[in-house]
Amino acid sequence: MTTTDRASGALLLRQLREGRGWSWADLARALRDTARQLAVASLMNRQVASIQRTVARWESIADRTSPGDRYQFLLAQVYARTPAGDLAIGPGSDFDTLLEALRHFGTPPQRVRQLVELIGHGGRGDSGDLLMLLAPGTRSTIAAIQRDPSKLDHEVVSRLHEAVMAINGLVGTTPFVRLQLQLAPIVQSCRRLLELDQVGPRQELILLATTAYSLAGRLAFETRDDEAAMALYADATKAAGNLADRSHRAAVQTSHTMVTLHATDDLKVARTIARAATVDAHRGSSYAIRARAHAVHAEICARAGQADEAAAALDRAWKTVEQLTVDDPHGGFNADRLNGFDGLCALHAGDAGHAHDSLDKSVSALRLSRDAVQRGIVSTDLALARLRLGDPAACVNLLHEAVDITAATGGRVAAQRIRLARRDLRPWRTEDFLAELDDHIHDTLIGR
């Protein structure tokens, strides 16, 4: 986007706010209140002062910040109604002006159309608006059980579980914020239903809640809302504790371990969760979860410099992978994924050759769209292995690929790894290939 485009967008946002006689704090309160009405968990409890600073950055000519998906959604809800509360989205309305501002900020036409459709079909200013982001079948299912919880039965829970799995399947191809909004009404429904003493198939509902909360925690992490992520993982762990098969709780804990590691860099806390995951995994039925738990534990040990413990955990993971079955309900973790952990542990142990071979195998196998986020991470690790083997140019070539993948997926961990890899390339700062990488990072990840 050009400076002139962004300046025009910033000016229009300021005019919209001032046209309603609002200060930055007034708009911040309106956005937070709307987030609470719509159960947008990542913003509903945020301090007004924090949102106010974000609003100010949007209106600053010198700042590059523009409204992301969550804020676009909330701004659309706020400006779709007049100060008197009437819906007004036609030409010349505040909503129409908002869309023009978003276009100046570079918002894609399909996103603008989605906002128009969402407000046009919804516009009630309650949590029902979020249902418009869901497939029609899921939308009607949730609307029905919200009206009458007694309608919850095996078939309904199965449909909701399929909807959660469908949202999970979009990771890597759809912005994380949009997935958050799609998942929000399902999470909200689970909370309400679990509060009831007698409601349908209880164990199936608990499993649905465990899966939905865990995915919501991961999405909150990816959108840099770590407080919400930790709370959702705590909810998922608590819910999973009511399930007989401990594989479910171990699955939550392995994800929680990695999110804790990358959100806080607290190895001690991450290791505590990882150990709990291995204990639960061995009490559960899934060999896939058991293998992943050992792999995650190995990575934590390797990062802590505990090479022997990491090697022992990896050995257990490889032996467990050999026992995988095609009907494992927690399938998805396999030798290809384990090679990524193996390679990263080798990197931390100083064995660049072994790291390169394992990571190369993993990257070669991660070709599906649902593997994109993981491919971005492993590609960066492979780039570091190339660097440790004395080939900075090859390292940079791989990082170019990782930058493109990360820009497309929005993966937070891959972005962290790219920054660390760039730091290790400082001795080659005078080389043209590094200047080209810096330009690519800036244009694709920072300046977009």
Side-chain angles (χ1 to χ4, degrees), residues 248-400:
H248 298 295
R249 191 163 70 177
V252 173
Q253 290 166 328
T254 56
S255 183
H256 190 190
T257 298
M258 301 311 290
V259 164
T260 298
L261 173 67
H262 294 294
T264 68
D265 203 27
D266 192 328
L267 282 170
K268 183 177 180 181
V269 173
R271 184 165 51 199
T272 299
I273 303 171
R275 284 174 173 167
T278 60
V279 171
D280 272 339
H282 276 272
R283 293 174 177 170
S285 63
S286 171
Y287 284 101
I289 292 300
R290 197 174 300 178
R292 176 172 166 77
H294 286 307
V296 168
H297 187 220
E299 177 175 340
I300 299 299
C301 291
R303 288 178 178 276
Q306 299 169 331
D308 291 342
E309 291 87 342
L314 276 175
D315 183 61
R316 287 190 288 270
W318 279 113
K319 288 178 179 177
T320 306
V321 160
E322 294 174 358
Q323 303 177 68
L324 294 181
T325 58
V326 294
D327 59 345
D328 192 315
H330 294 276
F333 190 85
N334 53 29
D336 297 330
R337 297 277 177 152
L338 182 52
N339 268 316
F341 284 92
D342 194 318
L344 180 60
C345 290
L347 266 182
H348 284 286
D351 189 346
H354 180 88
H356 178 275
D357 293 345
S358 294
L359 292 166
D360 191 49
K361 289 177 185 176
S362 185
V363 166
S364 298
L366 296 172
R367 293 293 180 184
L368 300 177
S369 58
R370 66 172 179 266
D371 298 327
V373 174
Q374 188 67 20
R375 181 177 172 81
I377 296 169
V378 180
S379 294
T380 307
D381 293 337
L382 180 57
L384 274 177
R386 295 274 175 89
L387 181 61
R388 303 281 166 78
L389 289 171
D391 195 342
C395 167
V396 168
N397 285 337
L398 275 169
L399 286 177
H400 277 293

Side-chain angles (χ1 to χ4, degrees), residues 139-149 151:
R139 188 188 314 158
S140 59
T141 296
I142 292 179
I145 61 174
Q146 284 180 344
R147 291 191 300 269
D148 183 3
K151 292 185 179 294

Side-chain angles (χ1 to χ4, degrees), residues 8 10 19 21 57 63 82-83 85-86 153 160 167 182 204 284 307 334 341 357 373 375 385:
S8 298
R57 287 196 293 270
D63 202 295
T82 67
D86 299 320
D153 57 20
L160 291 178
I167 293 170
Q182 287 179 294
E204 293 177 46
N334 53 29
F341 284 92
D357 293 345
V373 174
R375 181 177 172 81

Side-chain angles (χ1 to χ4, degrees), residues 113-136:
R113 287 195 298 272
Q114 185 185 49
L115 288 171
V116 172
E117 292 169 1
L118 179 62
I119 298 300
H121 287 95
R124 294 190 305 276
D126 58 33
S127 60
D129 289 346
L130 286 177
L131 298 180
M132 299 305 299
L133 291 165
L134 295 167

